[in-house]
Amino acid sequence: MYDQYKTNSFDGITLQGIANDLSAAGWNVKTVWKKGNSKRETYGEGVNFFQLEKDGKWVLRQVKNKGFVRMGKMSAEEERLFLSLLKKNMLYSKPEWTLGLVLTIVYAILIFFIGSSRDMESVGIVLFVSALCLFGFLGLAYMRSEGKLSAGLYRVSLVFGIIGYALTALSSLLCLPVMNSIFRNALYTKVKAVKTQDILP
């Protein structure tokens, strides 16, 4: 589960600029570009995949207009620098909650009617409990995105979330938009917390 952002387009020049700034700051970085499934040495026409690696592990990945960020093994100073570059280059997005919340409510109603209409009471109980696990996970994931929940507790809740998703599939797919909004909110919250003086010129 990674922090996310969404842009209007794939801007390879901006992505390469971030890689250059991090390299100038002493980071051991490598860039990977792809056009479809074919690797490219540099950014060019038709390229729609970018991956930035630090010490052999990816920290930034963008596929078309969707970006993913992984900062788990960065020091506090490295994370501050990285976030300042994301903020400077507008590589973060404010989450849009409306669609996700509406579909999540539809999911809840769907589970209620499916569970209530089953001939076997035990199946309905399993569906209700699974849905509660999923809702509990979504609530805790949102708290995590706001920086109000520890990573350890979030990992525990993730187990219950996976169980909820699995046992109520395919209807649980309706909750994916709100989950994506939570992941975007995680990065948005971190980037907005970056102070003006931390942003590079």
Side-chain angles (χ1 to χ4, degrees):
M1 303 295 181
Y2 308 118
D3 296 350
Q4 299 179 15
Y5 65 87
K6 187 175 181 180
T7 61
N8 293 325
S9 62
F10 186 92
D11 187 349
I13 296 176
T14 295
L15 295 169
Q16 183 62 59
I18 290 176
N20 294 342
D21 287 340
L22 291 174
S23 180
W27 287 32
N28 177 26
V29 298
K30 175 186 175 182
T31 58
V32 178
W33 301 93
K34 288 184 181 180
K35 179 181 180 180
N37 294 322
S38 303
K39 285 190 175 181
R40 295 288 188 268
E41 292 296 324
T42 59
Y43 172 64
E45 184 179 356
V47 170
N48 58 7
F49 175 93
F50 169 80
Q51 181 168 288
L52 176 65
E53 299 177 0
K54 175 182 180 292
D55 300 325
K57 302 291 184 179
W58 74 268
V59 294
L60 175 63
R61 178 182 289 165
Q62 184 167 332
V63 183
K64 296 182 180 178
N65 67 332
K66 294 182 180 179
F68 306 86
V69 175
R70 183 169 68 175
M71 298 181 289
K73 295 186 178 181
M74 292 185 189
S75 66
E77 183 177 347
E78 289 174 335
E79 186 172 311
R80 186 165 55 250
L81 170 62
F82 189 60
L83 287 172
S84 69
L85 286 172
L86 294 181
K87 186 169 187 176
K88 174 186 174 183
N89 291 282
M90 301 294 290
L91 289 186
Y92 64 98
S93 51
K94 189 174 183 178
E96 299 176 358
W97 297 104
T98 305
L99 176 62
L101 291 175
V102 168
L103 291 179
T104 300
I105 292 172
V106 172
Y107 163 78
I109 295 172
L110 189 61
I111 289 297
F112 174 78
F113 280 107
I114 293 175
S116 300
S117 64
R118 294 285 183 178
D119 293 333
M120 296 177 61
E121 184 179 350
S122 58
V123 175
I125 293 174
V126 170
L127 287 175
F128 290 140
V129 172
S130 299
L132 286 175
C133 287
L134 180 52
F135 285 134
F137 165 68
L138 291 174
L140 293 174
Y142 174 74
M143 291 176 62
R144 175 63 179 166
S145 76
E146 292 282 318
K148 299 176 181 178
L149 187 75
S150 67
L153 189 54
Y154 170 72
R155 292 190 189 99
V156 172
S157 72
L158 180 59
V159 175
F160 292 95
I162 292 173
I163 292 172
Y165 267 111
L167 294 182
T168 60
L170 295 166
S171 56
S172 58
L173 294 176
L174 291 168
C175 295
L176 287 181
V178 77
M179 193 71 247
N180 288 332
S181 292
I182 290 172
F183 292 146
R184 288 173 190 165
N185 187 60
L187 183 61
Y188 180 78
T189 300
K190 292 171 186 173
V191 169
K192 295 299 285 186
V194 175
K195 298 178 181 178
T196 304
Q197 58 265 33
D198 293 330
I199 302 179
L200 300 177

